[in-house]
């Protein structure tokens, strides 16, 4: 009771402070730079609905996290309420480009994996490549690097077309995603020979991020030092971009080590430590490590700023530690640090998650300009707590304020759906609002239908994902293989595994070993089925498919009675 009293007393102070400060809350990032760099508060676990036309910026692809293998978000994970939300907007094209895109897409579907036939048909078609067309086609074929590269090479040979840095970055991003690093470096050398100015810091950052995605920290650092080779600046901005890339893909410990190793070249500052702090808070999700970095910042004389507090409060908020969230908020006020919207979003999320829904809604109403992240911070915990009606009221209020929902808003509602009819009804409403499903949407729903053993709808979603060019990607194949295997469809699972390999997707070593263990262990369920149906004499197996007590001591090494299942990153696997 005393704890609740303390929380409510802090809430009364919070309301008064929110009323006076929300109108002045900071809406822009505190670190401005002319260079496009990876911001420390962007969480990698969530895929982004960004076309490859945005590859000239540092965030080049929404599929960067695929190469990590098993780090995709799942139904039980909390999305990062601090992360920049994905707008449900579609790219508009003029009619000529749209027709050409449709023509090329049709050719690619007809040719399938036959690259020679695709080259011949491309030579025969009368489509004239443009910068916009090439970027759009590369975006549609981003999960099939050979098809994308075949089109990229063909377009470069056509008269009247000259590649820009955007197309090069798009193709390099696709090659890096599929671990075709040698080919990607060949394109970079081609860019340098064509026009040295084409190779810029963004080109190097794409490669750094792709190396970080596959956990090759050594090559990521070597690429950073290659700035000198291309006569590019290696200032503090570039160094912090390297730190951000490392932390984005869970190489947080390496990033922290780099800060101390390079303290003479790049002096300690709040931004560098905030990148690492955010990595521990929102990427790894370790409050203990985050508190250690927080203390070290004070030890080396780096002052905590609003971003530092935002990271810590977000971490405590996700862990449901409302007391620590409010205590940090009190400390901010005492130190004269003005809370920004991200801080209030973390408080709203913590309040809702802690069951103080009315307080969370009151705080949000007192904010002058709550955004979609603020509403999602309230909707997600409400949905998770099965308070559907309250979540719908918040959703309606968001629409009344003229705030458009994002894909994450719909994901929160989709996680609590219980029938296929509800799922497709939600998809229809989502599309009417201009929100198209992302690869994360399909992964979530495929996993859900696999649990329900609704394989018709699994196949329907899989085909739709292919048709719309959203996927499949590495994570999609992993979910399908896992779902088919757990439902006893071992042959189908193996078929998807072969298809994944043919597409050039390579999971990391841990994931590969896990898949192999699934297929190596398939003899157990098959053996049990024979015993039940055929009554074959297999020692130790009774009529109900259980190991007889008298036989357990003799055959437990050959056929274990119990194997512990370990869950992690949204997947289940045997604990060896």
């Amino acid at each position: 009771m005393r704890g609740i009293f303390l929380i409510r007393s802090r809430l009364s102070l919070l309301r008064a402070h929110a009323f006076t400060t929300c109108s002045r809350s900071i809406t822009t990032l505190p670190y401005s730079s002319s260079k496009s760099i990876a911001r420390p508060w962007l969480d990698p676990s969530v895929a982004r609905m960004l076309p490859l036309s945005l590859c000239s910026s540092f965030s080049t692809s929404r599929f960067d996290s695929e190469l990590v293998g098993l780090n995709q978000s799942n139904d039980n994970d909390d999305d990062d309420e601090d992360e920049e939300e994905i707008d449900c907007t579609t790219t508009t094209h003029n009619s000529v480009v749209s027709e050409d895109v449709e023509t090329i897409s049709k050719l690619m579907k007809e040719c399938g994996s036959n690259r020679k036939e695709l080259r011949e048909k491309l030579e025969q078609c009368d489509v004239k490549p443009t910068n916009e067309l090439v970027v759009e086609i590369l975006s549609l074929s981003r999960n099939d690097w050979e098809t994308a590269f075949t089109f990229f090479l063909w377009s470069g040979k056509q008269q009247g077309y000259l590649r820009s840095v955007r197309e090069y970055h798009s193709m390099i991003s696709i090659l890096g995603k599929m671990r075709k690093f040698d080919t990607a470096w060949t394109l970079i050398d081609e860019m340098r020979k064509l026009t040295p100015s084409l190779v810029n810091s963004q080109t190097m950052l794409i490669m750094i991020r792709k190396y970080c995605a596959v956990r090759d920290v050594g090559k990521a650092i070597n690429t950073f030092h290659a700035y000198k080779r291309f006569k590019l600046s290696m200032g503090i901005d570039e160094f912090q971009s390297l730190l951000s890339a490392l932390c984005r893909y869970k190489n947080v410990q390496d990033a922290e080590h780099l800060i101390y190793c390079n303290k003479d070249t790049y002096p300690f500052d709040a931004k560098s430590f905030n990148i690492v702090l955010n990595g521990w808070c929102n990427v790894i999700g370790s409050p203990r490590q985050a508190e250690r970095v927080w203390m070290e910042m004070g030890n080396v004389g780096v002052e905590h700023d609003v971003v530092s507090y935002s990271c810590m409060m977000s971490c405590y908020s996700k862990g449901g530690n409302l007391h620590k969230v409010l205590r940090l908020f009190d400390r901010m006020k005492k130190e004269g640090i003005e809370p920004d919207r991200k801080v209030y979003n973390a408080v709203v999320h913590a309040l809702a998650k802690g069951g103080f829904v009315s307080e969370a809604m009151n705080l949000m109403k007192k904010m002058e300009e709550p955004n979609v992240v603020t509403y999602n911070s309230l909707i997600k915990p409400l949905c998770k707590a099965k308070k559907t009606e309250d979540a719908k009221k918040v959703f309606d209020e968001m629409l009344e304020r003229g705030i458009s929902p994002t894909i994450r808003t719909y994901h929160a509602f989709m996680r609590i759906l219980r029938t296929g009819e509800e799922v497709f009804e939600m998809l229809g409403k989502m599309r009417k609002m201009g929100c198209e499903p992302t690869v994360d949407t399909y992964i979530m729903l495929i996993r859900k239908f696999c649990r329900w053993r609704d394989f018709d709808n699994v196949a329907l979603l899989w085909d739709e994902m292919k048709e719309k060019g959203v996927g499949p990607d590495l994570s999609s194949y992993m979910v399908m293989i896992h779902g088919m295997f757990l439902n006893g469809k071992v042959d189908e699972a193996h078929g998807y595994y072969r298809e994944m390999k043919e597409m050039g997707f390579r999971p990391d070593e841990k994931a590969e070993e896990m898949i192999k263990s699934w297929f190596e262990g398939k003899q157990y369920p098959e053996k049990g089925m024979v015993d039940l149906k055929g009554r074959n004499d297999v020692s130790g197996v009774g009529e109900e498919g259980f190991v007889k007590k008298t036989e357990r001591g003799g055959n437990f090494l050959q056929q274990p009675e119990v194997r512990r299942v370990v869950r992690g990153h949204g997947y289940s696997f045997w604990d060896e």
Side-chain angles (χ1 to χ4, degrees):
M1 293 297 292
R2 184 174 180 273
I4 295 177
F5 175 77
L6 289 174
I7 289 175
R8 291 192 181 277
S9 63
R10 283 198 170 109
L11 287 176
S12 62
L13 296 174
L14 177 64
R15 294 191 197 103
H17 188 78
F19 183 77
T20 58
T21 60
C22 280
S23 61
R24 303 192 305 271
S25 61
I26 302 170
T27 57
T28 58
L29 302 181
Y31 302 108
S32 59
S33 171
S34 59
K35 299 180 182 294
S36 177
I37 62 176
R39 299 298 181 188
W41 38 81
L42 295 181
D43 184 353
S45 65
V46 186
R48 299 173 180 280
M49 190 59 178
L50 296 178
L52 286 177
S53 59
L54 299 182
C55 284
S56 56
S57 65
F58 186 53
S59 181
T60 57
S61 172
R62 67 187 179 89
F63 294 107
D64 290 337
S65 59
E66 294 166 5
L67 293 178
V68 183
L70 298 180
N71 74 335
Q72 292 291 328
S73 62
N74 56 73
D75 289 350
N76 299 321
D77 292 337
D78 290 328
D79 292 332
D80 183 7
E81 69 275 4
D82 289 337
E83 184 172 349
E84 297 298 328
E85 290 290 339
I86 303 168
D87 291 330
C88 295
T89 56
T90 56
T91 306
T92 57
H93 306 280
N94 60 58
S95 58
V96 175
V97 173
S98 298
E99 291 176 2
D100 290 343
V101 168
E102 186 176 349
T103 300
I104 299 297
S105 300
K106 186 177 180 180
L107 288 179
M108 289 179 172
K109 290 180 181 178
E110 291 175 353
C111 298
S113 59
N114 192 331
R115 316 302 171 200
K116 183 178 179 181
E117 182 183 357
L118 177 60
R119 284 194 296 269
E120 293 174 352
K121 289 193 174 183
L122 285 173
E123 293 293 343
Q124 296 172 4
C125 74
D126 57 354
V127 173
K128 301 297 181 183
T130 62
N131 298 101
E132 187 180 6
L133 172 66
V134 173
V135 169
E136 184 66 21
I137 293 297
L138 292 179
S139 176
L140 292 174
S141 58
R142 56 184 170 262
N143 292 313
D144 187 350
W145 77 270
E146 291 183 289
T147 298
F149 197 54
T150 300
F151 173 78
F152 181 81
L153 294 177
W154 168 81
S155 62
K157 298 176 183 178
Q158 305 308 303
Q159 292 182 353
Y161 168 72
L162 184 64
R163 295 187 187 124
S164 68
V165 66
R166 189 171 60 170
E167 289 91 276
Y168 275 111
H169 283 181
S170 298
M171 194 66 239
I172 290 170
S173 179
I174 294 172
L175 292 171
K177 184 184 71 174
M178 303 305 296
R179 308 189 188 194
K180 305 298 178 181
F181 294 110
D182 291 340
T183 308
W185 280 113
T186 301
L187 281 185
I188 293 174
D189 286 335
E190 178 184 312
M191 293 170 66
R192 182 179 61 169
K193 292 175 182 178
L194 182 64
T195 305
S197 61
L198 282 177
V199 181
N200 54 34
S201 59
Q202 304 304 321
T203 314
M204 296 293 102
L205 286 171
I206 292 172
M207 296 300 294
I208 288 173
R209 290 184 63 165
K210 298 308 177 183
Y211 281 126
C212 290
V214 298
R215 306 295 180 86
D216 196 337
V217 176
K219 289 186 178 179
I221 296 173
N222 288 340
T223 303
F224 174 71
H225 290 293
Y227 277 66
K228 293 181 180 178
R229 172 187 166 193
F230 293 96
K231 298 180 181 180
L232 299 172
S233 172
M234 292 180 62
I236 186 66
D237 284 342
E238 287 73 25
F239 178 68
Q240 289 168 346
S241 297
L242 171 63
L243 298 179
S244 295
L246 288 169
C247 291
R248 187 178 178 86
Y249 296 101
K250 300 190 177 183
N251 306 292
V252 184
Q253 191 171 359
D254 298 298
E256 187 176 346
H257 182 67
L258 279 179
I259 290 178
Y260 287 98
C261 290
N262 294 274
K263 62 181 179 180
D264 295 331
T265 307
Y266 304 106
F268 294 149
D269 73 342
K271 183 177 180 181
S272 298
F273 275 97
N274 284 340
I275 293 171
V276 173
L277 182 63
N278 181 77
W280 289 120
C281 288
N282 295 320
V283 180
I284 302 297
S286 172
R288 183 177 179 181
Q289 292 291 345
E291 290 168 353
R292 178 185 59 79
V293 174
W294 178 273
M295 294 296 294
E296 288 182 6
M297 290 176 69
N299 294 337
V300 299
V302 176
E303 294 185 359
H304 304 116
D305 59 11
V306 66
V307 179
S308 310
Y309 279 96
S310 171
C311 292
M312 290 300 298
M313 293 173 72
S314 173
C315 185
Y316 289 141
S317 174
K318 291 175 185 176
N321 198 328
L322 177 59
H323 178 69
K324 287 188 176 181
V325 171
L326 297 179
R327 189 171 64 183
L328 274 179
F329 188 83
D330 290 342
R331 181 173 173 179
M332 285 184 69
K333 290 189 295 181
K334 291 178 182 178
E335 294 186 1
I337 299 175
E338 193 76 15
D340 65 359
R341 187 183 285 130
K342 292 180 182 294
V343 170
Y344 284 107
N345 290 346
V347 176
V348 168
H349 185 270
L351 288 171
K353 197 167 186 177
F356 298 91
V357 179
S358 59
E359 286 82 356
M361 295 184 72
N362 289 335
L363 175 61
M364 188 173 63
K365 289 177 181 178
K366 292 181 182 297
M367 293 175 63
E368 289 291 329
E369 296 179 356
N371 60 5
V372 67
V373 187
T374 311
Y375 280 97
N376 285 352
S377 299
L378 184 53
I379 290 174
K380 292 173 189 175
L382 288 176
C383 288
K384 196 168 185 180
K386 303 297 188 296
K387 297 180 179 179
T388 312
E389 293 303 320
D390 290 337
K392 288 180 179 178
K393 290 179 181 178
V394 177
F395 181 82
D396 293 337
E397 180 184 328
M398 179 176 64
L399 295 180
E400 290 175 1
R401 285 204 178 196
I403 299 175
S404 299
T406 65
I407 193 67
R408 298 175 201 273
T409 314
Y410 291 105
H411 283 179
F413 286 103
M414 284 182 180
R415 289 190 175 97
I416 60 175
L417 300 180
R418 290 293 175 264
T419 65
E421 291 77 9
E422 291 178 350
V423 167
F424 287 104
E425 182 181 354
M426 178 64 71
L427 281 174
K429 291 180 179 179
M430 189 174 74
R431 289 191 172 101
K432 287 181 180 178
M433 292 292 295
C435 240
E436 287 297 326
T438 66
V439 67
D440 273 359
T441 311
Y442 286 108
I443 287 175
M444 179 203 309
L445 296 180
I446 287 173
R447 186 184 285 129
K448 188 182 289 287
F449 279 116
C450 282
R451 292 199 196 104
W452 297 342
R453 298 182 62 85
D454 189 348
F455 302 113
D456 291 338
N457 281 328
V458 169
L460 180 66
L461 289 171
W462 185 263
D463 293 339
E464 180 182 306
M465 180 173 59
K466 280 186 173 182
E467 184 178 348
K468 291 186 176 295
V470 178
D473 58 7
L474 175 59
S475 298
S476 308
Y477 278 109
M478 292 291 292
V479 168
M480 282 294 284
I481 293 168
H482 185 245
M484 293 295 108
F485 182 83
L486 288 186
N487 284 288
K489 295 181 174 293
V490 181
D491 292 336
E492 289 86 344
H494 198 265
Y496 283 111
Y497 176 73
R498 289 197 306 269
E499 183 180 323
M500 179 181 70
K501 288 292 188 179
E502 292 172 359
M503 291 288 291
F505 292 110
R506 293 189 300 167
D508 58 17
E509 293 182 3
K510 182 179 178 181
E512 187 74 31
E513 291 174 2
M514 187 175 69
I515 293 175
K516 288 181 179 178
S517 70
W518 294 344
F519 294 131
E520 288 172 358
K522 70 179 182 179
Q523 57 199 18
Y524 294 111
E526 289 177 353
K527 195 172 185 179
M529 293 297 291
V530 172
D531 299 336
L532 289 171
K533 294 181 178 179
R535 306 295 183 186
N536 290 346
D537 184 19
V538 178
S539 177
V541 180
E543 292 183 355
E544 300 298 326
F546 297 103
V547 180
K548 297 178 182 178
K549 291 184 179 179
T550 56
E551 300 294 335
R552 286 175 185 169
N555 73 346
F556 77 96
L557 290 176
Q558 289 76 24
Q559 189 169 356
E561 180 189 4
V562 177
R563 299 182 73 184
R564 192 164 69 93
V565 175
V566 178
R567 298 183 182 277
H569 304 288
Y571 299 90
S572 305
F573 51 93
W574 297 123
D575 182 20
E576 302 294 345

